[in-house]
């Protein structure tokens, strides 16, 4: 039974541990629809076939990247079937390199659509915006809302 959210995949300490487990193929994912993510009790199966009962207290909220289990042998992390993306456009090549370096150091999931870098938001968006604040303040990077 999984009965608490340990943290978020994007948290620095948790991210390091997940990175190590990922290299060993020991991360299991549970994909939730937006509707199921609102439930506090649900039976699910991970992508590795592990059956789980998720029973959370009423104040807990399942978001993309919520870590439900993390030990030395494996981790169980949530995914939402509809991902939220932070869409960013760097001002120039230098800003693009810095932004790529930042995303890599934080082990963020990214994809590229031409000049737009999309960062998968795993957990509270505010965490990402805070880490990127210097890029926004001097306009090295612009956030765009492209409906994704």
């Amino acid at each position: 039974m999984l009965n608490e959210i340990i943290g978020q995949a994007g948290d620095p300490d948790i991210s390091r541990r997940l990175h190590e487990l990922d290299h060993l193929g020991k991360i299991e994912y549970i994909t939730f629809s937006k509707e199921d993510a609102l439930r506090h009790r649900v039976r699910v199966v991970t992508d590795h076939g592990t059956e789980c009962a998720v029973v959370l207290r009423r104040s807990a909220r399942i978001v993309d990247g919520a870590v439900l289990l993390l030990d030395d042998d494996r981790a169980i992390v949530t995914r939402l079937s509809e991902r939220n993306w932070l869409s960013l456009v760097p001002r120039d090549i230098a800003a693009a390199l810095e932004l790529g370096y930042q995303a890599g150091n934080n082990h963020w999931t990214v994809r590229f659509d031409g000049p737009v870098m999309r960062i998968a938001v795993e957990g509270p968006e505010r965490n990402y915006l805070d880490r990127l604040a210097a890029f926004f303040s001097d306009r090295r990077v612009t956030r765009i809302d492209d409906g994704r």
Side-chain angles (χ1 to χ4, degrees):
M1 181 173 7
L2 304 170
N3 57 11
E4 69 177 308
I5 296 174
I6 296 166
Q8 300 299 320
D11 295 343
D13 291 336
I14 291 175
S15 178
R16 278 190 288 281
R17 291 180 64 193
L18 290 175
H19 182 74
E20 294 166 4
L21 289 170
D22 189 36
H23 282 293
L24 301 171
K26 295 188 175 192
I27 298 180
E28 298 183 46
Y29 293 95
I30 299 171
T31 302
F32 287 92
S33 67
K34 292 219 179 212
E35 295 78 27
D36 281 343
L38 297 173
R39 297 174 59 193
H40 299 284
R41 293 175 170 263
V42 63
R43 287 199 166 278
V44 293
V45 178
T46 71
D47 64 338
H48 289 188
T50 305
E51 293 185 23
C52 302
V54 178
V55 180
L56 300 174
R57 64 187 190 294
R58 293 239 176 249
S59 61
R61 295 284 175 248
I62 293 174
V63 295
D64 199 46
V67 179
L68 302 178
L69 175 75
L70 181 61
D71 60 30
D72 293 336
D73 298 322
R74 71 179 175 149
I76 296 179
V77 180
T78 65
R79 286 189 172 154
L80 295 183
S81 57
E82 298 173 27
R83 263 196 158 156
N84 292 327
W85 295 88
L86 184 61
S87 299
L88 308 172
V89 178
R91 176 180 61 202
D92 53 29
I93 292 174
L97 288 170
E98 287 183 79
L99 180 60
Y101 182 80
Q102 174 82 6
N105 272 349
N106 286 300
H107 303 284
W108 291 340
T109 299
V110 300
R111 73 173 196 220
F112 300 93
D113 290 326
V116 180
M117 174 191 270
R118 299 190 200 290
I119 299 172
V121 177
E122 299 173 343
E125 186 178 89
R126 173 73 359 218
N127 294 347
Y128 293 82
L129 297 175
D130 288 347
R131 289 189 188 173
L132 296 167
F135 288 92
F136 298 130
S137 69
D138 64 8
R139 294 192 169 92
R140 283 179 287 162
V141 172
T142 303
R143 178 180 182 182
I144 62 169
D145 180 13
D146 55 5
R148 291 186 189 203

